[in-house]
Amino acid sequence: MGAKRSGPYFCGIDAAMDVIGGKWKALILWELEANGVRRFGELRRGLPGVSEKMLIQQLRELEEDGIVTREIFPEIPPRVEYQLTELGSALNRALEPLGAWGRERIDRIGADRVHATV
């Protein structure tokens, strides 16, 4: 895929944002944490609004960073499954306080929530 992102960084937040930056990566992490191993189509259905191209790109970057693993099964048609690595689970734990803050904000401002169709 492209050049490996490896800094230089201003601080730890800068380095972390290099891994989770963009709208979909944190949501992919949340989806995999909530549901465990997921096939590509399941991930796509769980993330309303993501295009196939964007999901593929974001998953490849997360795989390059060691956050998710991708397993291809030699079947017809091929089955591909994604899951969090230990590093990905650690990243999710680090994001938990941010998620709690966001849930409080949703309640505070009375925002609607998107519900995924499964």
Side-chain angles (χ1 to χ4, degrees):
M1 170 130 192
K4 183 84 169 149
R5 295 157 299 140
S6 59
Y9 298 114
F10 292 106
C11 62
I13 295 291
D14 187 20
M17 291 305 295
D18 194 25
V19 175
I20 62 165
K23 179 177 181 177
W24 298 107
K25 286 184 182 176
L27 296 174
I28 291 167
L29 291 173
W30 172 80
E31 179 73 14
L32 289 172
E33 182 71 28
N35 298 294
V37 177
R38 302 293 273 176
R39 293 176 71 173
F40 182 83
E42 293 170 325
L43 275 172
R44 186 147 183 230
R45 283 189 299 278
L47 301 169
V50 68
S51 70
E52 184 173 328
K53 177 182 176 185
M54 181 57 67
L55 183 55
I56 289 168
Q57 176 186 336
Q58 301 285 273
L59 284 166
R60 283 183 182 160
E61 289 178 11
L62 288 169
E63 186 181 7
E64 284 179 4
D65 288 325
I67 304 300
V68 300
T69 59
R70 175 177 176 251
E71 186 172 0
I72 303 168
F73 294 88
E75 303 171 352
I76 305 290
R79 175 172 48 116
V80 179
E81 293 181 344
Y82 296 89
Q83 70 181 39
L84 289 176
T85 63
E86 283 293 321
L87 192 57
S89 293
L91 179 54
N92 259 339
R93 288 190 300 276
L95 291 171
E96 283 175 7
L98 183 60
W101 184 91
R103 287 187 299 278
E104 289 172 6
R105 180 175 185 271
I106 289 169
D107 294 340
R108 186 174 59 253
I109 66 174
D112 291 332
R113 294 178 188 233
V114 173
H115 297 284
T117 56
V118 181

